[in-house]
Amino acid sequence: MVTFDHRDPGTPEADWARCGALHRAPELELAGVDRAVVFAAHPDDETLGAGGTVHRLVRQGTEVRVVVATLGENSHPDSTTFTPQQLAALRREEMAAAVHALTGEGTSPVFLSLADGALTEEQLREPVAEHLAWVEQGEKPLAVCTWERDGHTDHEVLARTVARAAGARGVRCVQYPVWYWHWGSPSRLPRGLVRVPLGDADRRAKKDALAHHVTQVRPLSQRPGDEVLLGEHVLAHFARDSEHFVVSAPDQAAVFDRVHSDSEDPWAVDTSWYEQRKREVLLGCLPRPHYERVLDLGCSTGALTAALARRAGSVTAVDASDVALRAARARLDDDAAANVELVRAVLPAGWRDEWAPRDLIVVSEMGYFCSPEQWDELLERCATALDPEGHLVLCHWRHPIQDWPLDGADVHREARRRPDLRRVVSHRERDFELEIFEPVPREQG
């Protein structure tokens, strides 16, 4: 079990209060959410990280289920006053009272009663799937869990399990930091952050719920080992007028198979003037009339792929969706099909070493469907795969991307920060941004 020195003040709340990025974070869309499942690793996680949001959801009529993985019996390992079993019993009662304060007397938490400090994905997989199946029955479901980079093993294992399962089902998932506010800093703010403003009633309910976690907000006794865990310097982080969450990246294959199954042309690439014009602008901005080996990432139904094939020796077109690739295969005429290879791969995990080197790599309307970590890895893969005289093309929608961690500005910003790439073409207008990069010669890197 990862533990913190709770006597250490960590990052003062005053520093976070001055962090403009927290206040500027986009608001999480909760309108229409009719079912939500909130996962906690220990009793009090849900109250600290998402208590106000739970109360706000209940106020708007959302059916909310709270699931806690452990009873937090190891919160005071050096206590001589209570055994772990006694603490588990106390924390179970506290959790029930806190959830009642947030959701109403008729709602009780679901206790998995797994071992505190020893959670594994294997033991969590089945119960997580069960509760996601429940929330998935809603018209607009939402899964909420701890953050996978929170610095506590249980928090991170639970988050990974929930995020992967929710992503595969296409259920929107957000993660709440708890200990990050203690050990982190405004300069290390995670990307993909969103906020939920809290009303006075939400904040009062959260405060009342926290007061029920007596074993955490008060000392067990005056004896050594019974010290308070959630002192005022810790609780200050959770008295804000908003709560913050990190958006999880859904599973690309599951999402885009569904999107392409629901519509033959989900992005209107054949009928939208925006799509047609964007392709022509991209093709017109390419620095060379012909490329030998092209990599088209996120090819969807192949409209851009077909155009690139007419200016290339060969094209490898990649998409996460089998449904999209079948449409792309049907689109390509005999001439284009002769020099196009269609590959199903979820990137960056499915990257193939055989794709390097390439003298043109195109990432159009695809980068923001990655998590921040995935996009960093994919950028690295692309930069490394580029021929010394090759080009990397990024082209993305400039407006907010609902329910995904990144947007177009994030995607392009990270590319511009790379010391091994330099921009040679830049085109920005109201709806999309197009940038073309080339490798920086090693002696200049």
Side-chain angles (χ1 to χ4, degrees), residues 395-409:
C395 184
H396 291 85
W397 177 249
R398 293 190 62 212
H399 303 290
I401 306 299
Q402 187 68 43
D403 298 338
W404 293 82
L406 303 177
D407 58 24

Side-chain angles (χ1 to χ4, degrees), residues 394-396 408-416 433-435 437:
L394 302 182
C395 184
H396 291 85
D410 299 319
V411 168
H412 286 250
R413 184 186 309 112
E414 294 308 308
R416 290 194 295 269
E433 181 167 16
L434 168 70
E435 293 183 296
F437 300 86

Side-chain angles (χ1 to χ4, degrees), residues 304-382:
L304 179 59
T305 305
L308 290 170
R310 292 189 283 271
R311 292 178 57 175
S314 66
V315 178
T316 300
V318 183
D319 201 90
S321 168
D322 278 327
V323 181
L325 290 174
R326 286 198 294 270
R329 191 170 290 110
R331 175 191 298 276
L332 298 171
D333 58 33
D334 292 339
D335 292 338
N339 68 335
V340 175
E341 177 191 21
L342 296 173
V343 178
R344 181 194 176 279
V346 177
L347 298 173
W351 182 278
R352 300 182 183 181
D353 292 340
E354 66 200 50
W355 291 343
R358 296 281 164 157
D359 54 350
L360 179 64
I361 300 176
V362 179
V363 184
S364 179
E365 308 274 21
M366 179 267 175
Y368 33 55
F369 298 132
C370 297
S371 70
E373 295 76 20
Q374 289 170 335
W375 177 237
D376 289 343
E377 181 182 345
L378 185 57
L379 263 180
E380 175 68 22
R381 293 280 195 177
C382 291

Side-chain angles (χ1 to χ4, degrees), residues 95-109 212:
M95 177 78 174
V99 170
H100 290 163
L102 294 174
T103 65
E105 290 296 326
T107 303
S108 297
H212 285 294

Side-chain angles (χ1 to χ4, degrees), residues 214-236:
V214 178
T215 61
Q216 309 302 297
V217 300
R218 298 179 190 173
L220 298 181
S221 76
Q222 297 307 309
R223 298 175 183 176
D226 285 353
E227 294 84 2
V228 64
L229 294 187
L230 301 178
E232 291 302 319
H233 64 286
V234 175
L235 292 177

Side-chain angles (χ1 to χ4, degrees), residues 17-18 33 45 66 82 92 95 143 170 192 218 235 243 274 300 321 331 371 415 420 430 443:
R18 291 190 292 268
V33 173
D45 289 340
V66 178
F82 295 101
R92 184 185 184 101
M95 177 78 174
R218 298 179 190 173
L235 292 177
E243 291 174 336
Y274 162 78
S300 187
S321 168
R331 175 191 298 276
S371 70
D420 55 351
R430 184 189 65 180
E443 62 272 14

Side-chain angles (χ1 to χ4, degrees), residues 18 115 122 165-166 171 195 199 205 210 212 240 264 305 348 404 414:
R18 291 190 292 268
E122 182 179 2
V171 173
R195 63 185 175 87
L210 274 173
H212 285 294
R240 303 172 188 155
E264 291 184 1
T305 305
W404 293 82
E414 294 308 308

